[in-house]
Each structure stands twice: as structure tokens, then as C-alpha cells.
Amino acid sequence: MKLNFRKPKFLFRKINVRKVFRSILLIVFTSYILVGTLISLPQVDQYLEVEQYDLASKHDQYWKKSYILELKVSKDKKDAAIEVEKVKNVIHKRLNHFGVEEVKIVESDYKKSEAETSEVELNHDTKYLKVTVQSTKAQDATEVLISTRNFFRFYIPKDDVNFSDTNNQLAPYLVENYISTDFTRDSFRNILIKKLPTDSGTEAYFAIFKPWPHKTKAFNDMMKDQAGYLIGIKYDGFISPYRVSSEFFIDRVGSSTNTSQSSNNGIRPEFSIAVSGDKESAEVFDLLYNSGVIPVEFQMVNTEELETDRAEIDYMEVLLGVTVSVIAIIFYFSAKERRFSNKNFIFGISLLLVTITWISILKIYNIAIDLDILLYQSLILIGAGATLVYREKEDHIVDFIMLIAVIIMAVSTDGYAKLFAIGFLPLITALIVAIPLTKIYINNMNRLITK
Amino acid sequence: MREFLIDTFSIFSVYEGAILFATPFLLMILLSAYSFYTLKSRNLVYIFILSFLSQLLIFTSISYLIQYSFGAVTNGFIQIAFYISVMIWTISSSLLFSQYKEEAGKKRFDPDHVTRAHFRSILDNGVVITLVSLALMVFLSRDHRIVITTAFISSLLTLALTHLIARWLLKEKSKRKNARK
């Protein structure tokens, strides 16, 4: 019997691979929007009875405190005003770089108690500054930045002093055993904080003193003279001994024998001291050394715990407000154009895409944020979105200028404004990317539905 | 002066004041320099400088008036209002730049086309700002309402004034051109 065998036609031949691929992408994109919306909706965890992953707010992390600083300023009123302003600027700079959200520094009419005012000062006047701080940053580190002057001066030991005498172990800590030098913070262009290996094989953060070019020779000469010996650095009244590296000695021998490649393969030795083993303390030291010089002596005389005054914002209400405003904007543009155009979909979906991505990231990684700042970001995001979608002619220069503006703001602002700009930068970038993506999505969706 | 700056902008030191004003100033310089470099238009530079200065003036007056009437915003949030207003000025200026660039590429430059297109875009911006501000303001506390009101009113006035300055300077240019012909 002869079998009539027909070659089967493969289904693949009839399938349009491009169309399938496009459909899969559309399904993935739509699923992403649906899942993202579900994740970013408020209080979803309660409805689904799963573990808590609601948006974490920074609200409870805030603490507020005020500090009174007593400044010993010049008798001359003009000089005193300049000194007070310098102190305010340096403390503000330190706290700003540390990321403290809210700082207020004002002159205070603080009155000391009678027991405290017994000391009679003839050479200077006393002024008081009130520093009020509201922040989520580490309180101890913030207090160090406010209360420490960190003014230093280099001291060299007197010729007749023997620091190796075991009977007088306190000798290196007594200022009368040293001679003062001219090298203070003003002599250095920068104090570089860097992680370096220690003699014991571990790693620690070191402060490397980088003198101004016109002071380099004098400083290096002093270091060469003291190579291998102890010198003193007086910080805010207390002297600490540090041993000068013997590399300076090798450098001295090298230069006396007229060899240019004297030591360390031609690298000049630099004076450095170990400051800290952990990164957080090293950051504080960096700010103390490199935020400017406080010109007068001061001390903290009073502190006061205060109630935080950050108004709590309801995430649900903010979301409702944003949704209402987006719908109102779509109505406005539909009424203006007298038809419901694709632009409305692009506007709505691109904003939705950016919002759900951002909130999902915050929720999944449990990143705490300021809800009030998120509110301001959403305000300007909607404005920017409407401009980019409903403009008459596409010109990428507008996107570019917006992006540059936000980058400048993120880099050069402080406090809440910095938080606002830093958070807004990924949002505006995502929006610029999301708009063309949404256009492609809607065009393909249209094609799929209408065919 | 010190009290005025503290009340209006929450500026407590020279350093804080410097960084607050340096950012928008830098933006204005960059935008002006870029437009002069690409379009060789002095008028556009004058428009940006004048509208920026007027924005500073408007924000200062509105912030002072609102805080004088409804109480001071003691936290640093008024500075966010300032940056929102700066951002809206940047959007409006970049739109003007884009419209000017498009018109400059044509054979016959007509300043009326630029000003009309700019008016349409700032009208849309104005409506969007109004709708968003009103919708969000309902749910907020007093401090945030003051901040949003300040940003909203000063932005609207800045948009309007930028348009008027642009119309005035661009029309002046076309008048001068016509007179020469």
C-alpha cells in the first residue's frame, strides 16, 4: 500500500516574527505598568496581607536641637562683626557639606548665670550665636562640627627637652616644651584625607598636609630638620605629639648630595597624621580641616532639645492631588485642541511610568524619603512633562537645558533644596527617556488594536 | 537688610545667601552665553537678563508680601519655592530660545511668530502651574500652602513679564529693521 505522505507546512512560515516580538514587548510593557502601579499604590500591603513595604518616610528620623556658642571676639565692633560672620559661614559650610537639612545661625542675646560670668576678660568681647539644627544626620557628628574650632599650629621641640625620658612621660604633651612656628591652617592649601596602609598592615584614614607653594620650601625644611623626631600640633589649646617620618631625612641626604631623584623614586615625602579608622569619622575630620578657618576661640555653653516642626504629609492625599491635577491638565488640553489626541495618553502614561518606577524603587529598597519634597518634585515634574509633551515642535534643546538646570541645582544648593534637586535629577532624566518610549508604545498599541 | 533676608528667603549667613543666588545666576549666564554663541542675538541675551532680574524682584516681593500677610515660613522650604520659580523661568526661557532658533532658521525672520508661539506656550505653562498648585494645595499644611502659593504666583508673574519683555525687545528690533528699509 502506498502512503500518500504530504510534507507538513511549518507554522513558522506564516508567523510574522516581528509582529510577535512587538506583541511580546507590548505585553511586557503593559505588565510592567500594571505591576508597577500595584506596587506603588499606597497601603497595598494591607489589602494583600503581605509583609509591610509601604513607602518609608524620613519624618520620624528627624531630630531638632539648638546650641549656644560663646565667641571671644575683638573689642572693635567692625572687626567683631566680621569675625561673627566668618564663624557663621564656616559652621554653615561644614553642616551643609555634611548634608544637614536645616540650619539656622543667628546672633543670640543669651545671658550667662552669675556663677559662669565671674571670669573677667579684658582683651576681647563676648558674642553669642544660636545654631538651630533639624536633621536626620548623625547627632554626635553634627555636634562635633558645631562645637569644634579645629584651629591648629605646628610646634617644634626645644633643644634641651628629652622626650625619651621615661621619668617624664607627659613631656610631649606640655606646651612649654615646644617652640611655636608660623605654620597654621592658613599655611596649607588643602588637608587631604586619604585611606592609606598603616605600619601594622591595616588601613586607616590619614590627613596629608599640602602646603601652599610659597610655604612648601620652608615647611619641608622644618620637616627635614625634625625628621625622625617628635613635633607637636596644638589643636584648640591641646598639644599632640607626632613623629615626623624618616623619609624626610632621606630626602635631606638626597638633596645635600645633589641627586634630583633623592628618595622614594623621586616622590617628595609629605607630612601626614592618622586621623581615623572609620569612614564616617574621616568625613567629619575632612569637614573640620577643609571648610575654612574659624578666626576666634569659642565654646559651646548650652544645648536644648527641641520638638521637630516637620508637618507630616499623607501619601494618599498627595497621590490624589497629583492624579486630580493630571486629569485636569488632560481635560484642559483636550478642550483646547477640541479632540482627545494621542498626546494626552503620552502625557498620562509617561508620568505614570516615571512615578511608578520611582516609587517602586523606593519601596523595594526601603529608601526613606521626605514626602513633602516628593510633593514639590511631583509639582515641577508635571509642569515639565506637560511642556515636553504638548509643545508645538520637538526640540531637544529644551530637554537639555532642563537637565543642565537640575544638575546645577543638585551640585550647588544646600539643605532641603539640595534634597529636592538630587531627587528630581533621576525623575527628569527618566521623564525625558519615558516620553519617546511611551510614544512608541502607544503607536504600536494603536496598530495592534486597529488591525 | 539681614532681618529682611532672613524673613524672605530664610538666609542666615553670607555663605548661604551666596549659594542660593549663585545657582540661578549661573543658569542665566549659561543660557545667555549659549544663545549668544549659537544665534548671535543680543536681544535674546537682554531678554534673559532682564527677565531673570525681574524674576528675582518678583519672587522677593511676593515672598515678602505673602509671609508678611500669612506668617513666616520658618523652615528652609521657601528656598524650594525659589528654585521651583527658577525652574519655571528656565523652562519658559528655553522655550523662547527654541522658538527663536526655529524662526531664525527661516528666510524671513518675523518676531511676531516668536512672540505668538511663546505666548501660546507660556499660556499652557500658566494653566498647568495653576491646576497643579490648586490641586495639591487642598491637602497641605499652612507652611506648604505658603510655599506653593509663593512659587505659583511668582512663576505666573515671571512668565507674563518674560513674555512682555520679549515682545518689547523683539518688536523694537523689527521696528528698527523696518525703519532702515
Side-chain angles (χ1 to χ4, degrees), chain A residues 69 84-106 129-133 145-146 287 291 294 413-416, chain B residues 9-20 76 79:
Chain A
L69 304 179
V84 168
E85 200 54 55
K86 275 186 181 171
V87 176
K88 281 164 83 174
N89 286 345
V90 173
I91 293 177
H92 209 120
K93 202 172 175 185
R94 285 177 182 177
L95 297 175
N96 171 27
H97 288 181
F98 190 56
V100 172
E101 288 87 347
E102 195 181 325
V103 184
K104 283 178 208 168
I105 311 175
V106 287
L129 280 183
K130 185 179 182 183
V131 183
T132 311
V133 169
L145 292 173
I146 294 170
L287 293 171
S291 301
I294 293 181
T413 51
D414 71 336
Y416 292 125
Chain B
F9 289 100
S10 294
I11 298 173
F12 295 95
S13 66
V14 173
Y15 167 76
E16 196 182 8
I19 54 173
L20 183 76
Q79 294 184 6

Side-chain angles (χ1 to χ4, degrees), chain B residues 114-166:
Chain B
V114 181
T115 51
R116 267 188 232 137
H118 188 242
F119 181 74
R120 281 197 296 275
S121 62
I122 63 153
L123 185 70
D124 290 346
N125 280 347
V127 173
V128 168
I129 296 164
T130 312
L131 290 174
V132 182
S133 306
L134 292 179
L136 289 176
M137 233 188 277
V138 180
F139 305 105
L140 299 174
S141 61
R142 188 199 73 103
D143 274 13
H144 291 300
R145 271 186 207 167
I146 291 177
V147 170
I148 288 196
T149 312
T150 310
F152 158 59
I153 297 177
S154 61
S155 302
L156 283 187
L157 289 176
T158 307
L159 286 179
L161 209 69
T162 305
H163 176 68
L164 288 178
I165 292 168

Side-chain angles (χ1 to χ4, degrees), chain A residues 173-222:
Chain A
Y173 300 93
L174 300 174
V175 73
E176 58 265 27
N177 290 331
Y178 292 91
I179 305 165
S180 164
T181 70
D182 292 335
F183 298 106
T184 61
R185 174 64 186 87
D186 293 321
S187 314
F188 301 91
R189 63 189 154 86
N190 183 28
I191 314 283
L192 180 70
I193 304 292
K194 203 176 172 185
K195 200 174 189 180
L196 294 169
T198 60
D199 294 339
S200 58
T202 55
E203 282 192 322
Y205 286 89
F206 283 80
I208 304 168
F209 291 73
K210 306 264 186 190
W212 286 106
H214 63 280
K215 297 260 185 184
T216 306
K217 193 182 176 304
F219 184 72
N220 282 349
D221 286 347
M222 183 182 84

Side-chain angles (χ1 to χ4, degrees), chain A residues 189-377:
Chain A
R189 63 189 154 86
N190 183 28
I191 314 283
L192 180 70
I193 304 292
K194 203 176 172 185
K195 200 174 189 180
L196 294 169
T198 60
D199 294 339
S200 58
T202 55
E203 282 192 322
Y205 286 89
F206 283 80
I208 304 168
F209 291 73
K210 306 264 186 190
W212 286 106
H214 63 280
K215 297 260 185 184
T216 306
K217 193 182 176 304
F219 184 72
N220 282 349
D221 286 347
M222 183 182 84
M223 287 294 139
K224 283 173 194 173
D225 289 342
Q226 302 298 327
Y229 299 112
L230 284 179
I231 60 159
I233 304 179
K234 191 177 166 191
Y235 286 97
D236 300 343
F238 299 98
I239 204 151
S240 305
Y242 294 98
R243 192 168 296 281
V244 179
S245 167
S246 52
E247 283 173 0
F248 282 101
F249 178 74
I250 302 164
D251 194 57
R252 182 176 66 188
V253 175
S255 48
S256 66
T257 51
N258 249 350
T259 51
S260 57
Q261 299 285 308
S262 53
S263 63
N264 298 319
N265 299 322
I267 301 164
R268 292 275 174 204
E270 287 174 309
F271 179 71
S272 63
I273 55 170
V275 287
S276 168
D278 63 292
K279 200 181 172 189
E280 286 73 29
S281 310
E283 191 192 349
V284 172
F285 274 106
D286 193 5
L287 293 171
L288 287 174
Y289 277 122
N290 295 314
S291 301
V293 180
I294 293 181
V296 293
E297 284 180 33
F298 73 93
Q299 59 171 334
M300 193 188 281
V301 287
N302 193 24
T303 60
E304 192 185 349
E305 295 265 359
L306 300 168
E307 281 281 313
T308 55
D309 57 5
R310 296 292 308 271
E312 199 161 13
I313 282 185
D314 191 346
Y315 172 38
M316 197 94 106
E317 289 179 351
V318 171
L319 206 68
L320 191 68
V322 168
T323 314
V324 167
S325 58
V326 169
I327 293 170
I329 289 166
I330 290 175
F331 267 110
Y332 163 71
F333 281 105
S334 301
K336 194 186 155 201
E337 291 176 6
R338 290 181 188 171
R339 68 191 176 95
F340 196 85
S341 68
N342 266 357
K343 280 186 176 178
N344 295 324
F345 282 117
I346 296 168
F347 174 63
I349 294 174
S350 56
L351 272 183
L352 183 71
L353 203 65
V354 174
T355 317
I356 61 170
T357 309
W358 184 236
I359 293 179
S360 301
I361 291 170
L362 294 174
K363 275 188 167 182
I364 291 166
Y365 292 101
N366 201 24
I367 302 167
I369 51 147
D370 294 281
L371 283 174
D372 36 17
I373 289 174
L374 187 70
L375 172 101
Y376 294 119
Q377 286 165 346

